[in-house]
Amino acid sequence: MAERLKNYIDGAWLDAGAAEAVDVLNPATSVVLAEAPLSPATAVDAAARAGVPAYREWRRRPAGDRIQPLFKLKALMEENLDSLARTITNECGKTYGESVGEMRRAIENVEVACGIPALMQGVNNEDIAPGIDEHMIRQPLGVVAAITPFNFPGMIPFWFLPYAVATGNSFLLKPSERVPMTSAKLFELIEAAGFPQGVVQLVHGGRDTVNAILDHPEIKAVSFVGSTATARYIYSRASANGKRAQCQGGAKNPVVVMPDADMEMTARILADSAFGCAGQRCLAASVAIPVGGARKELTERMAGIASARKVGYGLDGGVEMGPVISAASKSRIEEWIAKGAREGASVLVDGRGKQVSGCEDGFFVFPTVLDNVPPGGEVARTEIFGPVLSLMHAATIEEAIGMVNDRGYGNMACIFTSDGASARRFRYEVNAGNVGINVGVAAPMAHFPFSGWGESFFGDLHAQAHHGVEFYTQTKVVVERWPRDWSRKF
Ligand code: NAD
């Protein structure tokens, strides 16, 4: 029988006390790798309670001391990169190279958070009135929590964890129950890095576990990444309970291709964006909009690249794309391809019904290209979250920007062009928080906030960098007078 994973609470690995568990499958083979316990509210309560005294002691340590375990964690993550990447590939399906890239992004966030002594500095003015000074200082919130999705099990917890603990909070992670093994491995490293008991905790689980987090009075802030429906729900329940919340949701990312773009480079980068991680990236290109004369060549190139992409088990050499996460995802994606055809699109490259030799039980959907997707239809507007690229056509850049802005999501929009004026106009006018110019996955580095807009984000402060620092701290303003101040003599 597969191992049932444990929670990490108050510095100890504990049985979750869960009545139910979810099988964690390797999506390339359907082999059961582990069981994720669906932790009850009592486990969340134990972690939240342990987090309170831990935070009270931790926040008193100088920032320069608090970052020491993060330096150690960075070194441990580097040393264990290979086994972490293999774990990600096995439970999540992406290729080994993609898993290594993901862990690099996680490590970058640890590096940035090591700058907390400077990043969380306050501001002050001397003599706001004669002999009176005013300071704004930043203080941590207490116990904070993050709830994360399946598609980046190594990276996304690190959009939050390093900033939360470096600023002096205690932190609780509830990872996706579909990919909990990466977190389990990372928490072994967190334990070895030497954080004090209760400062960083792990509670596995699903919907009820999340509700216990959202309702717990000791949890002061919630960070979430996942689908828009869940993001909206978590934002409203957390806020109604008086918590800070930052909730990143789904996406439908358009890419405009101008006739003056370098077509060979554009098609190659666009394919990596649309089919990388089997299209299960919140920054995956899902709609390409060639403008005017770009249409014929881009369409032919995308069809050629999609048909040639090597699909298989992500640890096998030469594999460029792995499976999608589950049998349910595979059927849902295949149904969207069928719906595209029903809405009038032509299926130029059809990824349905294909098998990978030696992985016959895997959840594979091969790269798919839909042409002439009607802009007003459901396929053009709905997140498919699989390796499906929809082509829509525009005569002018105005029309293309209109198509980009005609959707609720605002995670990413990209343009490929060799003309600076077109690029500037696009950057200026599109409704998206992450913009790529001749770039297919405009993922902000750890020292920039991950800036989704619209239905891709609920909240105001985003993940990463100085937004993370602001989210995990509250400001305190001190106005100070010392009546016998000697400096007034001068
Ligand atoms: P999901 O919303 O199904 O699950 C995310 C987390 O929420 C998991 O931990 C899950 O246990 C929990 N959850 C799910 N349903 C819940 C419910 N009803 N009540 C309470 N908790 C619930 O998302 P997913 O399928 O794991 O991830 C894919 C989605 O995440 C896609 O929509 C993708 O675009 C999005 N995503 C967004 C970003 C971003 O930065 N905007 C990044 C990565 C992924």
Side-chain angles (χ1 to χ4, degrees), residues 468-481:
V469 175
E470 285 187 40
F471 183 78
Y472 289 123
T473 54
Q474 51 199 339
T475 53
K476 185 179 270 180
V477 173
V478 182
V479 183
E480 189 172 305
R481 169 196 279 140

Side-chain angles (χ1 to χ4, degrees), residues 8 31 39 104 113 116 123 213 424 430 457 485-486:
Y8 184 69
V31 167
S39 298
R104 288 253 161 255
I116 280 297
V123 289
I213 290 173
R424 184 178 190 277
V430 289
F457 183 70
D485 179 3
W486 64 269

